[in-house]
Amino acid sequence: MSCSTESIDTAPPVDEDDCEPLVPSKTVPPRCCSARLNLAVLMFLGLTVVYGLRVNLNVAMVAMVNNTNPPPAPVYSWDTETQGWLLGALFFGYLCTLIPGGYLAGHYGGTKFLGFGVLGTAALTLVTPLAAQWGPSWLFALRALEGFTQGVLHPSTMTIWARWAPPLERSRLMSFSGSGGIFGALLTLPLTSFICETLGWPAVFYLCGGIRAGCVWAVFWFALVSDDPHTHKRISKEEREYIIKSIGPQLTLDLSMVTSLPLWAIIIGQICANWGFYTLLNSTTAYMSNILHYDLESNGILSALPYLGGWLLSSLSGVVADLLIERRVFSVTKSPQNGKMEPINGKPFSKNPVGCSHIWTVLFLTLSTTTGGACYAGVYMNLIDIAPRYSGFLLGVSLTFASISGAVAPIADSLDGWRRVFWLAAGIQTSGAVFYTIFSSGNLQKWAMTDEDRGEAEKRRTRSMCT
């Protein structure tokens, strides 16, 4: 990371011990009640809503095909293959809007796309029981349409943070706001199981989701958030100047990024990390029900435990990463193992299934998702390290590849089948960890530099040679 206060990452790596502090501590406005912290909180809540609406079908599916549910709830005779297609349907629509969403958010503002994406998902959730009644094809189409509205969300968040997150606060702001997705799953899984047991599964889509949660959040989002500090109505002058000077200017697209190994390391890393994440997201409730034979209420509670650990570690890892970089214990620019916290390597070890042992299975699933929470301070925000001004568009590109795993990650109906599912996930994640560790970088890439960046880099190179 550069030591200049004029822009993010304006120079290649140098000996940071010879540098001045990135931002003088006296010039940093307080974070409490700041516009950037308000943005992080609202983004956290928005992703909580969306991921809650995304995973409610995972638990409800157990009730939808189980004839022991309350009499008012319809029951469907969908086989395992049909259930797999329905759980993966969201990602077929998701893939369609990731790249366009990143491009458009960069040009027209990420707040609009994120806001309407949450609203669209909330509205479509209300139609789920009717679509299920019409047949699996209709439900598949509805879930794909929900994915279409959600595809713009993560590229929009990256575009927003590229304009709002100062270098020394980047990890904590992005990790906290991004952890809203895990927190949404943590809240929704046990709540969904309780509603299914007491009111029947259709009530899940009317009570847990619906337009109300999205509307309440959207009122605050559109009233309190803006695309960048220049246009924010309530930000203090000190905070605006601090953010703008820390981040610097934006620039246009450079196609030489296609041959960048650090960029491909992020893409491959996200594909492999997401394979494991979506395998667990789509299959944990089915595994708990079909193999471990938990009842629906226990299923929801135990399925939520992994996300509790993941949420805690993802929030903590961002704070720790920022503190280590700020105190120069680690550096973003020195090695992929340092500032990026070894983001993937922790997950594969816990994917080895242990048969029908309830305690060990829940323990390993929890460890898997918990260690994966460090990805939020690593591979998921690495794009802002190497190309902050392209980050929204590039996140759309990387997530397009990565989200394919959500559509094709398998589920099974026997213990041997699940063993193959988990071993496949472990192998893919291990391969991704190795590739990412070898080829990733924390340096601002040449194709992402402005003329000002190149001038600063040359000055630093000259100064370093003189000392």
Side-chain angles (χ1 to χ4, degrees), residues 212-244:
R212 288 167 293 182
C215 276
V216 171
W217 173 85
V219 168
F220 289 95
W221 177 257
F222 288 115
L224 301 177
V225 169
S226 65
D227 290 317
D228 57 60
H230 293 281
T231 58
H232 199 284
K233 297 179 181 179
R234 285 164 293 277
I235 190 174
S236 68
K237 180 180 178 181
E238 294 78 9
E239 184 181 8
R240 178 185 289 113
E241 291 180 353
Y242 164 62
I243 294 172
I244 292 173

PDB file of all heavy atoms in Angstrom, residues 212-244:
ATOM      1  N   ARG A 212     -42.451  -5.840   3.129  1.00  0.00           N
ATOM      2  CA  ARG A 212     -42.350  -4.959   4.294  1.00  0.00           C
ATOM      3  C   ARG A 212     -40.909  -4.743   4.727  1.00  0.00           C
ATOM      4  O   ARG A 212     -40.469  -3.609   4.932  1.00  0.00           O
ATOM      5  CB  ARG A 212     -43.176  -5.541   5.440  1.00  0.00           C
ATOM      6  CG  ARG A 212     -44.674  -5.428   5.222  1.00  0.00           C
ATOM      7  CD  ARG A 212     -45.452  -6.270   6.194  1.00  0.00           C
ATOM      8  NE  ARG A 212     -45.230  -7.698   5.948  1.00  0.00           N
ATOM      9  CZ  ARG A 212     -45.827  -8.668   6.631  1.00  0.00           C
ATOM     10  NH1 ARG A 212     -46.663  -8.362   7.592  1.00  0.00           N
ATOM     11  NH2 ARG A 212     -45.589  -9.929   6.347  1.00  0.00           N
ATOM     12  N   ALA A 213     -40.155  -5.835   4.896  1.00  0.00           N
ATOM     13  CA  ALA A 213     -38.764  -5.693   5.333  1.00  0.00           C
ATOM     14  C   ALA A 213     -37.958  -4.883   4.330  1.00  0.00           C
ATOM     15  O   ALA A 213     -37.171  -4.006   4.693  1.00  0.00           O
ATOM     16  CB  ALA A 213     -38.142  -7.075   5.525  1.00  0.00           C
ATOM     17  N   GLY A 214     -38.166  -5.161   3.046  1.00  0.00           N
ATOM     18  CA  GLY A 214     -37.444  -4.428   2.016  1.00  0.00           C
ATOM     19  C   GLY A 214     -37.807  -2.965   1.991  1.00  0.00           C
ATOM     20  O   GLY A 214     -36.945  -2.097   1.811  1.00  0.00           O
ATOM     21  N   CYS A 215     -39.094  -2.640   2.178  1.00  0.00           N
ATOM     22  CA  CYS A 215     -39.537  -1.247   2.128  1.00  0.00           C
ATOM     23  C   CYS A 215     -39.000  -0.433   3.295  1.00  0.00           C
ATOM     24  O   CYS A 215     -38.549   0.703   3.125  1.00  0.00           O
ATOM     25  CB  CYS A 215     -41.065  -1.188   2.107  1.00  0.00           C
ATOM     26  SG  CYS A 215     -41.787  -1.390   0.466  1.00  0.00           S
ATOM     27  N   VAL A 216     -39.060  -1.008   4.491  1.00  0.00           N
ATOM     28  CA  VAL A 216     -38.557  -0.289   5.667  1.00  0.00           C
ATOM     29  C   VAL A 216     -37.081   0.025   5.499  1.00  0.00           C
ATOM     30  O   VAL A 216     -36.623   1.147   5.756  1.00  0.00           O
ATOM     31  CB  VAL A 216     -38.798  -1.121   6.949  1.00  0.00           C
ATOM     32  CG1 VAL A 216     -38.081  -0.480   8.134  1.00  0.00           C
ATOM     33  CG2 VAL A 216     -40.288  -1.237   7.228  1.00  0.00           C
ATOM     34  N   TRP A 217     -36.328  -0.979   5.062  1.00  0.00           N
ATOM     35  CA  TRP A 217     -34.894  -0.749   4.847  1.00  0.00           C
ATOM     36  C   TRP A 217     -34.663   0.293   3.753  1.00  0.00           C
ATOM     37  O   TRP A 217     -33.792   1.167   3.890  1.00  0.00           O
ATOM     38  CB  TRP A 217     -34.215  -2.067   4.466  1.00  0.00           C
ATOM     39  CG  TRP A 217     -32.790  -1.895   4.059  1.00  0.00           C
ATOM     40  CD1 TRP A 217     -31.700  -1.839   4.868  1.00  0.00           C
ATOM     41  CD2 TRP A 217     -32.301  -1.718   2.720  1.00  0.00           C
ATOM     42  NE1 TRP A 217     -30.551  -1.647   4.123  1.00  0.00           N
ATOM     43  CE2 TRP A 217     -30.902  -1.571   2.804  1.00  0.00           C
ATOM     44  CE3 TRP A 217     -32.916  -1.684   1.463  1.00  0.00           C
ATOM     45  CZ2 TRP A 217     -30.108  -1.379   1.672  1.00  0.00           C
ATOM     46  CZ3 TRP A 217     -32.131  -1.490   0.346  1.00  0.00           C
ATOM     47  CH2 TRP A 217     -30.740  -1.346   0.450  1.00  0.00           C
ATOM     48  N   ALA A 218     -35.421   0.215   2.655  1.00  0.00           N
ATOM     49  CA  ALA A 218     -35.207   1.109   1.511  1.00  0.00           C
ATOM     50  C   ALA A 218     -35.451   2.567   1.871  1.00  0.00           C
ATOM     51  O   ALA A 218     -34.775   3.467   1.341  1.00  0.00           O
ATOM     52  CB  ALA A 218     -36.111   0.694   0.352  1.00  0.00           C
ATOM     53  N   VAL A 219     -36.412   2.840   2.755  1.00  0.00           N
ATOM     54  CA  VAL A 219     -36.671   4.220   3.165  1.00  0.00           C
ATOM     55  C   VAL A 219     -35.415   4.839   3.761  1.00  0.00           C
ATOM     56  O   VAL A 219     -35.016   5.960   3.410  1.00  0.00           O
ATOM     57  CB  VAL A 219     -37.836   4.271   4.177  1.00  0.00           C
ATOM     58  CG1 VAL A 219     -37.922   5.652   4.834  1.00  0.00           C
ATOM     59  CG2 VAL A 219     -39.155   3.927   3.493  1.00  0.00           C
ATOM     60  N   PHE A 220     -34.778   4.114   4.677  1.00  0.00           N
ATOM     61  CA  PHE A 220     -33.551   4.622   5.301  1.00  0.00           C
ATOM     62  C   PHE A 220     -32.391   4.651   4.306  1.00  0.00           C
ATOM     63  O   PHE A 220     -31.574   5.575   4.320  1.00  0.00           O
ATOM     64  CB  PHE A 220     -33.182   3.760   6.510  1.00  0.00           C
ATOM     65  CG  PHE A 220     -34.109   3.932   7.670  1.00  0.00           C
ATOM     66  CD1 PHE A 220     -35.171   3.071   7.867  1.00  0.00           C
ATOM     67  CD2 PHE A 220     -33.919   4.975   8.569  1.00  0.00           C
ATOM     68  CE1 PHE A 220     -36.026   3.237   8.949  1.00  0.00           C
ATOM     69  CE2 PHE A 220     -34.769   5.151   9.658  1.00  0.00           C
ATOM     70  CZ  PHE A 220     -35.832   4.278   9.838  1.00  0.00           C
ATOM     71  N   TRP A 221     -32.313   3.641   3.450  1.00  0.00           N
ATOM     72  CA  TRP A 221     -31.212   3.565   2.494  1.00  0.00           C
ATOM     73  C   TRP A 221     -31.201   4.765   1.550  1.00  0.00           C
ATOM     74  O   TRP A 221     -30.196   5.455   1.407  1.00  0.00           O
ATOM     75  CB  TRP A 221     -31.306   2.256   1.707  1.00  0.00           C
ATOM     76  CG  TRP A 221     -30.269   2.107   0.636  1.00  0.00           C
ATOM     77  CD1 TRP A 221     -30.424   2.274  -0.714  1.00  0.00           C
ATOM     78  CD2 TRP A 221     -28.884   1.753   0.824  1.00  0.00           C
ATOM     79  NE1 TRP A 221     -29.245   2.060  -1.369  1.00  0.00           N
ATOM     80  CE2 TRP A 221     -28.282   1.732  -0.454  1.00  0.00           C
ATOM     81  CE3 TRP A 221     -28.115   1.455   1.943  1.00  0.00           C
ATOM     82  CZ2 TRP A 221     -26.940   1.417  -0.647  1.00  0.00           C
ATOM     83  CZ3 TRP A 221     -26.766   1.148   1.758  1.00  0.00           C
ATOM     84  CH2 TRP A 221     -26.196   1.131   0.489  1.00  0.00           C
ATOM     85  N   PHE A 222     -32.322   5.021   0.905  1.00  0.00           N
ATOM     86  CA  PHE A 222     -32.358   6.105  -0.072  1.00  0.00           C
ATOM     87  C   PHE A 222     -32.317   7.485   0.585  1.00  0.00           C
ATOM     88  O   PHE A 222     -31.886   8.460  -0.036  1.00  0.00           O
ATOM     89  CB  PHE A 222     -33.607   5.983  -0.951  1.00  0.00           C
ATOM     90  CG  PHE A 222     -33.542   4.848  -1.935  1.00  0.00           C
ATOM     91  CD1 PHE A 222     -34.415   3.786  -1.834  1.00  0.00           C
ATOM     92  CD2 PHE A 222     -32.588   4.832  -2.939  1.00  0.00           C
ATOM     93  CE1 PHE A 222     -34.347   2.726  -2.738  1.00  0.00           C
ATOM     94  CE2 PHE A 222     -32.517   3.789  -3.840  1.00  0.00           C
ATOM     95  CZ  PHE A 222     -33.397   2.733  -3.741  1.00  0.00           C
ATOM     96  N   ALA A 223     -32.738   7.570   1.860  1.00  0.00           N
ATOM     97  CA  ALA A 223     -32.727   8.859   2.549  1.00  0.00           C
ATOM     98  C   ALA A 223     -31.354   9.218   3.098  1.00  0.00           C
ATOM     99  O   ALA A 223     -30.990  10.401   3.163  1.00  0.00           O
ATOM    100  CB  ALA A 223     -33.751   8.851   3.686  1.00  0.00           C
ATOM    101  N   LEU A 224     -30.555   8.213   3.476  1.00  0.00           N
ATOM    102  CA  LEU A 224     -29.322   8.485   4.218  1.00  0.00           C
ATOM    103  C   LEU A 224     -28.034   8.185   3.461  1.00  0.00           C
ATOM    104  O   LEU A 224     -26.952   8.499   3.956  1.00  0.00           O
ATOM    105  CB  LEU A 224     -29.325   7.671   5.523  1.00  0.00           C
ATOM    106  CG  LEU A 224     -30.477   7.935   6.492  1.00  0.00           C
ATOM    107  CD1 LEU A 224     -30.388   7.005   7.699  1.00  0.00           C
ATOM    108  CD2 LEU A 224     -30.486   9.397   6.943  1.00  0.00           C
ATOM    109  N   VAL A 225     -28.128   7.592   2.276  1.00  0.00           N
ATOM    110  CA  VAL A 225     -26.932   7.134   1.567  1.00  0.00           C
ATOM    111  C   VAL A 225     -26.821   7.823   0.215  1.00  0.00           C
ATOM    112  O   VAL A 225     -27.831   8.121  -0.428  1.00  0.00           O
ATOM    113  CB  VAL A 225     -26.987   5.592   1.387  1.00  0.00           C
ATOM    114  CG1 VAL A 225     -25.905   5.108   0.441  1.00  0.00           C
ATOM    115  CG2 VAL A 225     -26.868   4.905   2.737  1.00  0.00           C
ATOM    116  N   SER A 226     -25.601   8.068  -0.198  1.00  0.00           N
ATOM    117  CA  SER A 226     -25.350   8.613  -1.545  1.00  0.00           C
ATOM    118  C   SER A 226     -24.200   7.850  -2.187  1.00  0.00           C
ATOM    119  O   SER A 226     -23.484   7.106  -1.525  1.00  0.00           O
ATOM    120  CB  SER A 226     -25.026  10.108  -1.481  1.00  0.00           C
ATOM    121  OG  SER A 226     -23.805  10.321  -0.793  1.00  0.00           O
ATOM    122  N   ASP A 227     -24.025   8.056  -3.489  1.00  0.00           N
ATOM    123  CA  ASP A 227     -23.040   7.277  -4.240  1.00  0.00           C
ATOM    124  C   ASP A 227     -21.601   7.590  -3.853  1.00  0.00           C
ATOM    125  O   ASP A 227     -20.738   6.724  -3.912  1.00  0.00           O
ATOM    126  CB  ASP A 227     -23.225   7.499  -5.745  1.00  0.00           C
ATOM    127  CG  ASP A 227     -24.495   6.865  -6.268  1.00  0.00           C
ATOM    128  OD1 ASP A 227     -24.787   5.726  -5.870  1.00  0.00           O
ATOM    129  OD2 ASP A 227     -25.204   7.508  -7.058  1.00  0.00           O
ATOM    130  N   ASP A 228     -21.324   8.821  -3.469  1.00  0.00           N
ATOM    131  CA  ASP A 228     -19.959   9.181  -3.082  1.00  0.00           C
ATOM    132  C   ASP A 228     -20.007  10.364  -2.126  1.00  0.00           C
ATOM    133  O   ASP A 228     -21.049  11.016  -1.968  1.00  0.00           O
ATOM    134  CB  ASP A 228     -19.100   9.498  -4.313  1.00  0.00           C
ATOM    135  CG  ASP A 228     -19.686  10.614  -5.161  1.00  0.00           C
ATOM    136  OD1 ASP A 228     -19.852  11.725  -4.629  1.00  0.00           O
ATOM    137  OD2 ASP A 228     -19.992  10.372  -6.336  1.00  0.00           O
ATOM    138  N   PRO A 229     -18.896  10.667  -1.469  1.00  0.00           N
ATOM    139  CA  PRO A 229     -18.885  11.758  -0.478  1.00  0.00           C
ATOM    140  C   PRO A 229     -19.211  13.120  -1.078  1.00  0.00           C
ATOM    141  O   PRO A 229     -19.715  13.999  -0.356  1.00  0.00           O
ATOM    142  CB  PRO A 229     -17.438  11.725   0.062  1.00  0.00           C
ATOM    143  CG  PRO A 229     -16.965  10.331  -0.197  1.00  0.00           C
ATOM    144  CD  PRO A 229     -17.621   9.913  -1.478  1.00  0.00           C
ATOM    145  N   HIS A 230     -18.947  13.324  -2.368  1.00  0.00           N
ATOM    146  CA  HIS A 230     -19.226  14.618  -2.997  1.00  0.00           C
ATOM    147  C   HIS A 230     -20.699  14.982  -2.910  1.00  0.00           C
ATOM    148  O   HIS A 230     -21.044  16.160  -2.770  1.00  0.00           O
ATOM    149  CB  HIS A 230     -18.798  14.589  -4.469  1.00  0.00           C
ATOM    150  CG  HIS A 230     -17.335  14.477  -4.680  1.00  0.00           C
ATOM    151  ND1 HIS A 230     -16.470  15.552  -4.568  1.00  0.00           N
ATOM    152  CD2 HIS A 230     -16.555  13.403  -5.002  1.00  0.00           C
ATOM    153  CE1 HIS A 230     -15.233  15.156  -4.817  1.00  0.00           C
ATOM    154  NE2 HIS A 230     -15.246  13.860  -5.081  1.00  0.00           N
ATOM    155  N   THR A 231     -21.567  13.990  -3.033  1.00  0.00           N
ATOM    156  CA  THR A 231     -23.004  14.254  -3.138  1.00  0.00           C
ATOM    157  C   THR A 231     -23.772  13.989  -1.845  1.00  0.00           C
ATOM    158  O   THR A 231     -24.989  14.133  -1.822  1.00  0.00           O
ATOM    159  CB  THR A 231     -23.608  13.389  -4.257  1.00  0.00           C
ATOM    160  OG1 THR A 231     -23.365  11.996  -3.975  1.00  0.00           O
ATOM    161  CG2 THR A 231     -22.992  13.735  -5.607  1.00  0.00           C
ATOM    162  N   HIS A 232     -23.088  13.581  -0.785  1.00  0.00           N
ATOM    163  CA  HIS A 232     -23.758  13.298   0.480  1.00  0.00           C
ATOM    164  C   HIS A 232     -24.153  14.606   1.160  1.00  0.00           C
ATOM    165  O   HIS A 232     -23.356  15.524   1.273  1.00  0.00           O
ATOM    166  CB  HIS A 232     -22.845  12.477   1.393  1.00  0.00           C
ATOM    167  CG  HIS A 232     -23.566  11.781   2.487  1.00  0.00           C
ATOM    168  ND1 HIS A 232     -24.033  12.432   3.607  1.00  0.00           N
ATOM    169  CD2 HIS A 232     -23.916  10.473   2.646  1.00  0.00           C
ATOM    170  CE1 HIS A 232     -24.633  11.572   4.412  1.00  0.00           C
ATOM    171  NE2 HIS A 232     -24.577  10.369   3.852  1.00  0.00           N
ATOM    172  N   LYS A 233     -25.412  14.691   1.634  1.00  0.00           N
ATOM    173  CA  LYS A 233     -25.943  15.950   2.154  1.00  0.00           C
ATOM    174  C   LYS A 233     -25.588  16.198   3.617  1.00  0.00           C
ATOM    175  O   LYS A 233     -25.608  17.351   4.070  1.00  0.00           O
ATOM    176  CB  LYS A 233     -27.467  15.972   2.000  1.00  0.00           C
ATOM    177  CG  LYS A 233     -27.920  15.927   0.547  1.00  0.00           C
ATOM    178  CD  LYS A 233     -29.442  15.915   0.450  1.00  0.00           C
ATOM    179  CE  LYS A 233     -29.894  15.847  -1.002  1.00  0.00           C
ATOM    180  NZ  LYS A 233     -31.381  15.799  -1.129  1.00  0.00           N
ATOM    181  N   ARG A 234     -25.286  15.132   4.375  1.00  0.00           N
ATOM    182  CA  ARG A 234     -25.091  15.298   5.808  1.00  0.00           C
ATOM    183  C   ARG A 234     -23.668  15.002   6.272  1.00  0.00           C
ATOM    184  O   ARG A 234     -23.391  15.039   7.462  1.00  0.00           O
ATOM    185  CB  ARG A 234     -26.067  14.400   6.581  1.00  0.00           C
ATOM    186  CG  ARG A 234     -27.497  14.918   6.582  1.00  0.00           C
ATOM    187  CD  ARG A 234     -28.478  13.864   7.004  1.00  0.00           C
ATOM    188  NE  ARG A 234     -28.539  12.794   6.010  1.00  0.00           N
ATOM    189  CZ  ARG A 234     -29.275  12.863   4.907  1.00  0.00           C
ATOM    190  NH1 ARG A 234     -29.979  13.945   4.644  1.00  0.00           N
ATOM    191  NH2 ARG A 234     -29.279  11.870   4.045  1.00  0.00           N
ATOM    192  N   ILE A 235     -22.769  14.721   5.364  1.00  0.00           N
ATOM    193  CA  ILE A 235     -21.399  14.414   5.750  1.00  0.00           C
ATOM    194  C   ILE A 235     -20.669  15.687   6.181  1.00  0.00           C
ATOM    195  O   ILE A 235     -20.906  16.775   5.645  1.00  0.00           O
ATOM    196  CB  ILE A 235     -20.653  13.735   4.575  1.00  0.00           C
ATOM    197  CG1 ILE A 235     -19.317  13.187   5.036  1.00  0.00           C
ATOM    198  CG2 ILE A 235     -20.490  14.689   3.412  1.00  0.00           C
ATOM    199  CD1 ILE A 235     -18.599  12.372   3.962  1.00  0.00           C
ATOM    200  N   SER A 236     -19.808  15.562   7.171  1.00  0.00           N
ATOM    201  CA  SER A 236     -19.040  16.733   7.602  1.00  0.00           C
ATOM    202  C   SER A 236     -17.965  17.066   6.575  1.00  0.00           C
ATOM    203  O   SER A 236     -17.525  16.212   5.803  1.00  0.00           O
ATOM    204  CB  SER A 236     -18.386  16.456   8.961  1.00  0.00           C
ATOM    205  OG  SER A 236     -17.375  15.462   8.837  1.00  0.00           O
ATOM    206  N   LYS A 237     -17.537  18.299   6.593  1.00  0.00           N
ATOM    207  CA  LYS A 237     -16.502  18.738   5.660  1.00  0.00           C
ATOM    208  C   LYS A 237     -15.202  17.983   5.906  1.00  0.00           C
ATOM    209  O   LYS A 237     -14.516  17.581   4.961  1.00  0.00           O
ATOM    210  CB  LYS A 237     -16.272  20.240   5.811  1.00  0.00           C
ATOM    211  CG  LYS A 237     -15.200  20.797   4.884  1.00  0.00           C
ATOM    212  CD  LYS A 237     -15.024  22.291   5.087  1.00  0.00           C
ATOM    213  CE  LYS A 237     -13.924  22.842   4.192  1.00  0.00           C
ATOM    214  NZ  LYS A 237     -13.726  24.308   4.415  1.00  0.00           N
ATOM    215  N   GLU A 238     -14.873  17.755   7.171  1.00  0.00           N
ATOM    216  CA  GLU A 238     -13.636  17.050   7.501  1.00  0.00           C
ATOM    217  C   GLU A 238     -13.659  15.619   6.984  1.00  0.00           C
ATOM    218  O   GLU A 238     -12.664  15.130   6.411  1.00  0.00           O
ATOM    219  CB  GLU A 238     -13.418  17.052   9.014  1.00  0.00           C
ATOM    220  CG  GLU A 238     -13.150  18.415   9.618  1.00  0.00           C
ATOM    221  CD  GLU A 238     -14.411  19.248   9.782  1.00  0.00           C
ATOM    222  OE1 GLU A 238     -15.527  18.693   9.581  1.00  0.00           O
ATOM    223  OE2 GLU A 238     -14.305  20.443  10.087  1.00  0.00           O
ATOM    224  N   GLU A 239     -14.783  14.931   7.168  1.00  0.00           N
ATOM    225  CA  GLU A 239     -14.870  13.545   6.703  1.00  0.00           C
ATOM    226  C   GLU A 239     -14.834  13.479   5.188  1.00  0.00           C
ATOM    227  O   GLU A 239     -14.191  12.594   4.612  1.00  0.00           O
ATOM    228  CB  GLU A 239     -16.148  12.888   7.223  1.00  0.00           C
ATOM    229  CG  GLU A 239     -16.242  11.411   6.858  1.00  0.00           C
ATOM    230  CD  GLU A 239     -17.508  10.742   7.353  1.00  0.00           C
ATOM    231  OE1 GLU A 239     -18.412  11.457   7.855  1.00  0.00           O
ATOM    232  OE2 GLU A 239     -17.611   9.501   7.233  1.00  0.00           O
ATOM    233  N   ARG A 240     -15.525  14.415   4.517  1.00  0.00           N
ATOM    234  CA  ARG A 240     -15.521  14.416   3.050  1.00  0.00           C
ATOM    235  C   ARG A 240     -14.101  14.582   2.517  1.00  0.00           C
ATOM    236  O   ARG A 240     -13.662  13.850   1.617  1.00  0.00           O
ATOM    237  CB  ARG A 240     -16.424  15.523   2.520  1.00  0.00           C
ATOM    238  CG  ARG A 240     -16.417  15.612   0.987  1.00  0.00           C
ATOM    239  CD  ARG A 240     -17.213  16.795   0.463  1.00  0.00           C
ATOM    240  NE  ARG A 240     -18.635  16.598   0.645  1.00  0.00           N
ATOM    241  CZ  ARG A 240     -19.395  17.306   1.462  1.00  0.00           C
ATOM    242  NH1 ARG A 240     -18.843  18.266   2.215  1.00  0.00           N
ATOM    243  NH2 ARG A 240     -20.688  17.075   1.556  1.00  0.00           N
ATOM    244  N   GLU A 241     -13.368  15.540   3.049  1.00  0.00           N
ATOM    245  CA  GLU A 241     -12.006  15.790   2.568  1.00  0.00           C
ATOM    246  C   GLU A 241     -11.089  14.608   2.878  1.00  0.00           C
ATOM    247  O   GLU A 241     -10.232  14.247   2.061  1.00  0.00           O
ATOM    248  CB  GLU A 241     -11.472  17.072   3.203  1.00  0.00           C
ATOM    249  CG  GLU A 241     -12.167  18.324   2.709  1.00  0.00           C
ATOM    250  CD  GLU A 241     -11.617  19.582   3.351  1.00  0.00           C
ATOM    251  OE1 GLU A 241     -10.769  19.443   4.287  1.00  0.00           O
ATOM    252  OE2 GLU A 241     -12.001  20.686   2.937  1.00  0.00           O
ATOM    253  N   TYR A 242     -11.259  14.012   4.042  1.00  0.00           N
ATOM    254  CA  TYR A 242     -10.445  12.857   4.421  1.00  0.00           C
ATOM    255  C   TYR A 242     -10.645  11.696   3.451  1.00  0.00           C
ATOM    256  O   TYR A 242      -9.679  11.080   2.968  1.00  0.00           O
ATOM    257  CB  TYR A 242     -10.813  12.439   5.841  1.00  0.00           C
ATOM    258  CG  TYR A 242     -10.354  11.056   6.229  1.00  0.00           C
ATOM    259  CD1 TYR A 242      -9.014  10.714   6.261  1.00  0.00           C
ATOM    260  CD2 TYR A 242     -11.299  10.094   6.587  1.00  0.00           C
ATOM    261  CE1 TYR A 242      -8.609   9.442   6.632  1.00  0.00           C
ATOM    262  CE2 TYR A 242     -10.905   8.820   6.961  1.00  0.00           C
ATOM    263  CZ  TYR A 242      -9.563   8.498   6.976  1.00  0.00           C
ATOM    264  OH  TYR A 242      -9.159   7.236   7.336  1.00  0.00           O
ATOM    265  N   ILE A 243     -11.894  11.373   3.128  1.00  0.00           N
ATOM    266  CA  ILE A 243     -12.182  10.253   2.233  1.00  0.00           C
ATOM    267  C   ILE A 243     -11.689  10.542   0.825  1.00  0.00           C
ATOM    268  O   ILE A 243     -11.030   9.705   0.188  1.00  0.00           O
ATOM    269  CB  ILE A 243     -13.700   9.946   2.226  1.00  0.00           C
ATOM    270  CG1 ILE A 243     -14.144   9.439   3.594  1.00  0.00           C
ATOM    271  CG2 ILE A 243     -14.026   8.914   1.150  1.00  0.00           C
ATOM    272  CD1 ILE A 243     -15.644   9.285   3.734  1.00  0.00           C
ATOM    273  N   ILE A 244     -11.974  11.735   0.321  1.00  0.00           N
ATOM    274  CA  ILE A 244     -11.604  12.072  -1.057  1.00  0.00           C
ATOM    275  C   ILE A 244     -10.086  12.070  -1.235  1.00  0.00           C
ATOM    276  O   ILE A 244      -9.557  11.525  -2.215  1.00  0.00           O
ATOM    277  CB  ILE A 244     -12.198  13.442  -1.442  1.00  0.00           C
ATOM    278  CG1 ILE A 244     -13.719  13.342  -1.518  1.00  0.00           C
ATOM    279  CG2 ILE A 244     -11.625  13.914  -2.780  1.00  0.00           C
ATOM    280  CD1 ILE A 244     -14.411  14.674  -1.718  1.00  0.00           C
TER     281      ILE A 244
END
